[in-house]
């Protein structure tokens, strides 16, 4: 091994590291473009509300605010675990998540709680930051086009009602 000069070392992985030696015991220089840097990501969160009443919502409890719920009938695809995907504007899926759970909505009417709907939370982790826009799809329910600012804020969607 001879003293002064440049020594290039190729690592058989995905990165190339370049060492420049100017004198013995000198600090190594790593070329900034040689190692892929991790992308910044964020967590996209939101709530999808089914406005349906008891015919489109199944509740695990008596209709109190602490009851779990999910869609039934025409909304049976809207349950915990249902796929939620985020795509870029060209349609390339960039991150996936799921509906995480639901909380029943009720109205007090004529001495009892009446189910009026279900709020389903969803989370998508590791969404790449820096895209100008995003496309959100819950189950097969169509695409929601979001600006970058909208994607970073909690999202509120509603289905049903009338």
């Amino acid at each position: 091994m001879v003293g002064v000069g440049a020594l290039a070392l190729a690592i058989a992985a995905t990165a190339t590291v370049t060492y420049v030696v100017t004198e013995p015991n000198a600090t190594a220089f790593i070329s900034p473009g040689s190692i892929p840097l991790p992308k910044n990501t964020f967590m996209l969160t939101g709530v999808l509300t089914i406005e349906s009443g008891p015919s489109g919502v199944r509740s695990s409890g008596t209709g109190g605010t602490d009851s779990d719920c999910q869609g039934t009938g025409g909304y049976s695809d809207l349950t915990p675990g249902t796929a939620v995907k985020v795509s870029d504007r060209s349609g390339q899926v960039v991150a996936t998540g799921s509906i995480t759970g639901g909380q029943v909505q009720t109205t007090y009417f004529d001495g009892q709680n009446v189910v009026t709907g279900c709020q389903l939370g969803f989370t998508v982790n590791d969404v790449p930051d820096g895209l100008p826009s995003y496309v959100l799809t819950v189950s097969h329910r169509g695409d929601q086009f979001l600006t970058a600012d909208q994607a970073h804020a909690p999202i509120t969607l509603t289905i049903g009602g009338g």
Side-chain angles (χ1 to χ4, degrees):
M1 297 189 181
V2 177
V4 181
L7 171 65
L9 173 65
I11 298 178
T14 60
T16 301
V17 178
T18 304
Y19 293 94
V20 178
V21 180
T22 56
E23 60 186 69
N25 299 324
T27 305
F29 171 77
I30 299 175
S31 173
S34 299
I35 299 174
L37 300 174
K39 295 179 182 178
N40 291 331
T41 61
F42 67 98
M43 181 189 323
L44 184 145
T45 62
V47 173
L48 170 63
T49 301
I50 302 171
E51 292 183 345
S52 171
S55 64
V57 175
R58 178 173 51 236
S59 171
S60 65
T62 59
T65 57
D66 61 344
S67 298
D68 292 333
C69 62
Q70 61 186 35
T72 61
Y75 305 112
S76 63
D77 60 311
L78 301 175
T79 63
T82 295
V84 178
K85 69 179 180 176
V86 177
S87 306
D88 62 16
R89 64 178 150 191
S90 72
Q92 179 70 38
V93 175
V94 296
T96 59
S98 63
I99 292 176
T100 55
Q103 185 172 14
V104 72
Q105 291 183 302
T106 62
T107 298
Y108 193 74
F109 179 76
D110 199 23
Q112 62 183 357
N113 284 327
V114 177
V115 174
T116 58
C118 179
Q119 287 189 327
L120 299 163
F122 58 87
T123 302
V124 181
N125 291 312
D126 300 323
V127 178
D129 206 1
L131 298 179
S133 62
Y134 298 86
V135 181
L136 173 69
T137 308
V138 178
S139 185
H140 65 275
R141 297 294 175 159
D143 297 335
Q144 303 296 314
F145 295 90
L146 307 170
T147 65
D149 288 340
Q150 290 171 324
H152 283 79
I155 297 166
T156 305
L157 304 172
T158 303
I159 190 169

